[in-house]
Amino acid sequence: MGSWGVKALESDEGLEVLAMVEAAIRGRDRVTADELVGAARDEGLLGDDPAGDEYLYDMTALALAEILTGDTAQLADPGFGGTAFVATPEGTAALIAWVSQLRDGDPDREFRELRMDDPRQVAHVAAVLGMLGRMRDAR
């Protein structure tokens, strides 16, 4: 597990998610949150139960949320070649459920133990959750 920043996309797990997303969007103009979540589940990178303590799933959910919200400025292609990511009720709700666990879930959760002692990480998770909430409310 390597990480060089607070964002999930700045980690080894995030790079796995990035590779999966890049394959899923190839040649597409538009990809929905439902499709992102479904592709991650199909690849075994995201489970069905946000309350389950699985570090890979937590990082995947946070990485997908960063992509959906456009929090990707650090990437070589932050615009994903012009592919638009579209918030959908179900997909956005799934990501909100996961990211909420990172902020408010079991204090013994591995992600929380490893990463949430850093105030920058706490602020990042809160910001991503806020952006997801605004996307959900705008629908």
Side-chain angles (χ1 to χ4, degrees):
M1 165 184 77
S3 182
W4 49 93
V6 298
K7 294 181 180 181
L9 290 171
E10 298 171 324
S11 70
D12 292 342
E13 296 84 3
L15 293 180
E16 283 186 59
V17 173
L18 186 59
M20 181 270 309
V21 169
E22 288 173 340
I25 68 169
R26 193 165 289 124
R28 300 189 54 198
D29 295 330
R30 180 181 181 275
V31 176
T32 68
D34 296 348
E35 292 170 314
L36 289 175
V37 169
R41 286 183 173 145
D42 290 347
E43 291 292 320
L45 297 174
L46 187 66
D48 293 323
D49 182 9
D53 184 5
E54 175 57 54
Y55 187 80
L56 173 62
Y57 295 168
D58 289 345
M59 292 297 283
T60 295
L62 187 56
L64 292 177
E66 291 168 1
I67 290 167
L68 183 65
T69 63
D71 189 5
T72 58
Q74 78 281 6
L75 300 178
D77 181 9
F80 291 90
T83 299
F85 295 100
V86 180
T88 52
E90 188 175 325
T92 304
L95 294 176
I96 288 172
W98 278 97
V99 178
S100 293
Q101 289 294 319
L102 305 183
R103 185 187 67 188
D104 304 323
D106 182 350
D108 293 330
R109 188 181 191 98
E110 185 175 9
F111 180 92
R112 289 177 54 90
E113 285 183 347
L114 293 174
R115 298 181 67 104
M116 292 300 276
D117 284 339
D118 183 340
R120 297 171 306 144
Q121 185 71 61
V122 172
H124 175 63
V125 168
V128 169
L129 194 53
M131 287 185 283
L132 287 171
R134 287 188 293 280
M135 293 175 97
R136 176 200 57 211
D137 295 345
R139 298 212 47 83

